[in-house]
Amino acid sequence: MGGRFSIEKHDTDILILGSGGAGLFAALHAQAAARPGTKITLAVKGLIGKCGCTRMVQGGYNVALGGGDSVERHFMDTIQGGKWLPNQDMAWKLCEQAVVRIRELENEIGCFFDRNADGTLHQKAFAGQTADRTVHKGDLTGIEIINRLMEQVLARPMEKLQEHRAVGLVPTRDGSALSGVLFIDMRTGRFRFVRAKAVLMATGGGPTMYKYHTPSGDKTMDGLAMALRAGLTLRDMEMVQFHPTGLLAGDHTRMTGTVLEEGLRGAGGQLLNSRDERFMFDYDRLGERATRDVVSRGIYAEMRKNNTSKNGGVYISMSHLGPDLVRQKFKGMVKRCADSGFDLAAGKVEVVPTAHYFMGGVVVDPDTRTGLEGLYVAGEDAGGAHGSNRLGGNGVANSTVYGGVAGDTMGADVSMMGSHRDPDPAILEAEVERATAPFSKRPGNVQNLRRRLQEVMWDHVGVMRTEAGILRGLKGIAEVSDELAETGVPDGDLAFNLTWHDWLNLRSLCDISEVIAMAGLERENSRGAHYREDFPETGDLERSYFTTARQKNGELVVDRAPVEFTIVRPGGSILPEGEPETLLKAAE
């Protein structure tokens, strides 16, 4: 293909998409596991260490390190928190390897976490867990982890393709394996196709198709959209986690939707409605310490009763703990609130449920392999580890654990692979045509379409759902998608053409929004983050299923698959006999 949209060809051995916790850990482990001379390439939509969701992690990292806690207890909390939908082998590896990874973060990567007076790692309370197990660096843990990982990666001889946007997974002509990935070099606007023997997709999630959301606007589910087009099976796509306490500062600021971390509630923070009533015990015996899905629904129920704050949410109050203590323990949160006109330490702060994390993702095995030879998936792009609900603190543990696993696996696998695989030229050309389609249309307002999609998803496919609402949501998604297909962007300079990338972002969001809605229709019960008001019961735990979604002959096919209870069955436990149900004191 020649002309303006010609494709530069490039080869590597191991290609890693994304530079969050999963991508950076994978790069380090792959280099250690692979044969000397193996070429490793790290490609990222933004700048290494300066983008992605891991950097935004505030609360901390779940790991069972003692004091009565155990890997078995962490595992049971993860399974029960996920409402018996997780892939249990993946959940076990997450909990078991978190102990290994936290030592690696400290002793090899160079992270400094908060400690107790006796020198042991300090672990704070997070909701939905039966032990205080969240290791942290104040309330800005992600910055510490990413900064240290970035230093390690930048010091090593790896190829770095920064500001490279992945737009297509390109298989071989017979579809049996992945050949490589098509990119747009955002700095020039030119296409680059990178062949690789092994590709890790660790692009992160980013449910920014909702009115209130925590990730930055450039996180737009690109990886899952590419996987869907490539024919891969996705699971648990209805499971969108809403963090209960997103900052609500009005429409005039992008701070609205950003997280006020879980540790606030773990430390004793109280949620209040417009009458200053502490309402969460009306919805769950654990009050504010219930899991994120339960607390989000409690807040949403108060919002529907019009028991709301000025901007339409509720309040979180910390002042009863003592303003000085709050300022000491939550410096980052106090500053974030002050920047938006709130006094977290001595006053009340408006909050609203905010789309935060995506439990759904590509079906993988516990070693991160997928159904397409040569493609591996880790981090938020991978489904299975969390089931229907992720425990706070399990996210960054999942990314770093499985990033390392992916690096080890790819490093070993590449040594047994032969030459590079050639791409299917028809699919490569189709991906270029798809990405350049808006240049042939009359320019329009992409941002208005994105705002419409966010309203549709918040209103109809959000915290609480019904069949009628989801069907309205599907209609609204289709209308936005159809209008986007007829909306163009200015045909000018392709270098850093942000309107073009806004269009591509929205294309991914529309594609995945449809899958979320269709999977939500398929699940006719309520589990974790998915709550159907017309099917409020959890269903038979012994007959638990997860939803699957894939494209077949251009159509989206949604189905069910049975959960395999490989370690423990519903109602059972792997805790030793006589172990207490919880190590925590009763909530006050």
Side-chain angles (χ1 to χ4, degrees):
M1 181 180 294
R4 191 181 189 201
F5 298 119
S6 60
I7 304 174
E8 178 186 324
K9 304 293 178 65
H10 192 76
D11 284 352
T12 190
D13 294 316
I14 295 175
L15 173 62
I16 296 168
L17 309 182
S19 68
L24 296 183
F25 248 105
L28 296 174
H29 275 246
Q31 189 174 64
R35 290 175 177 172
T38 300
K39 185 177 181 181
I40 298 172
T41 300
L42 186 64
V44 58
K45 193 176 179 181
L47 300 174
I48 293 173
K50 302 297 183 182
C51 62
C53 291
T54 304
R55 185 175 183 83
M56 300 170 72
V57 169
Q58 297 158 5
Y61 190 115
N62 285 346
V63 55
L65 290 178
D69 199 6
S70 64
V71 171
E72 289 80 5
R73 181 176 290 278
H74 186 186
F75 170 81
M76 288 305 304
D77 286 352
T78 299
I79 297 301
Q80 291 171 344
K83 309 303 180 189
W84 297 93
L85 293 188
N87 177 310
Q88 294 190 1
D89 295 330
M90 291 180 68
W92 176 261
K93 180 172 280 191
L94 164 63
C95 300
E96 181 185 49
Q97 289 299 305
V99 181
V100 176
R101 198 67 81 237
I102 201 74
R103 299 305 187 198
E104 184 179 354
L105 280 164
E106 280 198 297
N107 300 327
E108 297 180 36
I109 305 302
C111 292
F112 287 89
F113 299 114
D114 288 3
R115 293 186 174 274
N116 299 308
D118 63 0
T120 58
L121 286 171
H122 182 263
Q123 294 178 277
K124 61 183 175 182
F126 258 31
Q129 304 188 59
T130 61
D132 293 348
R133 65 168 62 96
T134 308
V135 172
H136 62 105
K137 173 71 171 177
D139 54 0
L140 297 172
T141 310
I143 290 177
E144 175 68 11
I145 291 174
I146 285 295
N147 282 355
R148 304 291 83 78
L149 283 171
M150 176 180 65
E151 290 167 356
Q152 296 287 337
V153 167
L154 293 178
R156 284 167 165 75
M158 300 174 187
E159 182 178 48
K160 289 93 174 178
L161 299 179
Q162 302 190 82
E163 294 175 325
H164 273 63
R165 180 196 189 106
V167 291
L169 303 175
V170 183
T172 55
R173 195 185 295 267
D174 64 3
S176 64
L178 184 66
S179 170
V181 179
L182 178 66
F183 293 91
I184 298 171
D185 181 345
M186 299 170 70
R187 301 165 301 180
T188 64
R190 298 180 66 84
F191 286 94
R192 174 171 287 138
F193 177 68
V194 180
R195 287 196 308 174
K197 298 176 182 179
V199 174
L200 174 65
M201 194 172 81
T203 63
T208 58
M209 66 281 284
Y210 288 91
K211 180 179 180 181
Y212 303 112
H213 57 264
T214 67
S216 60
D218 66 330
K219 301 297 293 181
T220 51
M221 317 293 278
D222 299 324
L224 294 186
M226 289 191 299
L228 188 68
R229 292 198 304 279
L232 289 158
T233 300
L234 312 181
R235 62 169 289 171
D236 299 318
M237 292 295 287
E238 71 275 25
M239 300 302 179
V240 183
Q241 182 172 81
F242 288 84
H243 196 292
T245 52
L247 182 64
L248 185 58
D251 294 335
H252 65 283
T253 172
R254 292 189 181 182
M255 293 298 290
T256 285
T258 56
V259 164
L260 298 185
E261 63 121 322
E262 191 111 318
L264 297 176
R265 290 184 290 118
Q270 298 179 355
L271 293 172
L272 309 174
N273 61 23
S274 59
R275 297 193 291 269
D276 278 344
E277 297 168 337
R278 190 179 178 190
F279 58 84
M280 266 312 302
F281 284 101
D282 295 341
Y283 301 99
D284 192 273
R285 65 181 179 83
L286 296 177
E288 289 88 355
R289 275 199 171 189
T291 53
R292 290 175 173 180
D293 54 308
V294 173
V295 181
S296 290
R297 289 197 296 275
I299 293 173
Y300 195 76
E302 292 295 303
M303 291 167 64
R304 294 207 300 195
K305 295 175 185 176
N306 291 320
N307 296 333
T308 58
S309 62
K310 180 181 69 173
N311 286 305
V314 298
Y315 298 100
I316 189 167
S317 174
M318 303 293 293
S319 59
H320 58 285
L321 301 176
D324 290 340
L325 177 65
V326 175
R327 293 188 189 99
Q328 175 189 347
K329 291 184 67 173
F330 300 102
K331 294 178 182 177
M333 295 298 95
V334 169
K335 184 178 187 305
R336 172 170 293 185
C337 292
D339 288 344
S340 298
F342 296 110
D343 185 351
L344 177 65
K348 298 185 296 186
V349 179
E350 292 188 64
V351 294
V352 67
T354 180
H356 180 53
Y357 189 91
F358 204 68
M359 276 76 70
V362 178
V363 172
V364 298
D365 71 13
D367 290 323
T368 72
R369 296 186 182 93
T370 71
L372 184 64
E373 181 184 344
L375 179 66
Y376 306 75
V377 180
E380 200 170 344
D381 280 332
H386 307 296
S388 67
N389 185 44
R390 177 179 68 80
L391 295 180
N394 267 6
V396 69
N398 176 68
S399 293
T400 55
V401 163
Y402 278 105
V405 169
D408 293 339
T409 303
M410 291 189 298
D413 286 357
V414 163
S415 66
M416 297 182 291
M417 294 178 180
S419 59
H420 288 85
R421 312 172 190 95
D422 290 328
D424 183 330
I427 293 180
L428 185 57
E429 183 173 352
E431 287 291 349
V432 172
E433 290 178 353
R434 177 187 172 279
T436 57
F439 292 118
S440 64
K441 305 291 183 180
R442 183 187 299 274
N445 193 320
V446 176
Q447 289 305 318
N448 279 350
L449 288 176
R450 184 162 177 171
R451 282 190 286 270
R452 277 176 51 191
L453 178 66
Q454 291 172 335
E455 293 284 353
V456 166
M457 292 298 288
W458 174 258
D459 290 341
H460 303 303
V461 199
V463 177
M464 301 171 80
R465 303 165 178 175
T466 63
E467 178 181 7
I470 294 172
L471 290 173
R472 287 193 295 271
L474 281 166
K475 182 174 181 293
I477 295 165
E479 289 172 351
V480 172
S481 183
D482 289 346
E483 286 193 40
L484 180 65
E486 296 303 317
T487 299
V489 300
D491 188 8
D493 191 352
L494 300 181
F496 288 114
N497 188 324
L498 298 185
T499 306
W500 182 20
H501 292 285
D502 286 341
W503 191 98
L504 293 169
N505 287 339
L506 185 53
R507 181 70 272 159
S508 294
L509 289 174
C510 285
D511 292 347
I512 298 304
S513 293
E514 181 187 8
V515 185
I516 293 170
M518 290 291 289
L521 271 184
E522 183 67 25
R523 177 164 292 285
E524 294 181 331
N525 58 39
S526 293
R527 293 282 183 98
H530 171 78
Y531 189 82
R532 285 280 297 267
E533 293 183 88
D534 45 352
F535 291 98
E537 301 301 321
T538 59
D540 184 354
L541 293 180
E542 284 283 351
R543 299 175 65 186
S544 294
Y545 61 87
F546 58 91
T547 62
T548 62
R550 63 188 296 259
Q551 276 191 352
K552 188 174 182 180
N553 299 323
E555 295 292 325
L556 181 63
V557 179
V558 178
D559 208 340
R560 303 177 183 183
V563 174
E564 296 182 6
F565 303 115
T566 56
I567 297 176
V568 61
R569 301 195 70 83
S573 176
I574 63 171
L575 292 178
E577 189 173 347
E579 277 282 303
E581 179 182 344
T582 180
L583 303 179
L584 303 175
K585 296 179 181 179
E588 298 178 358

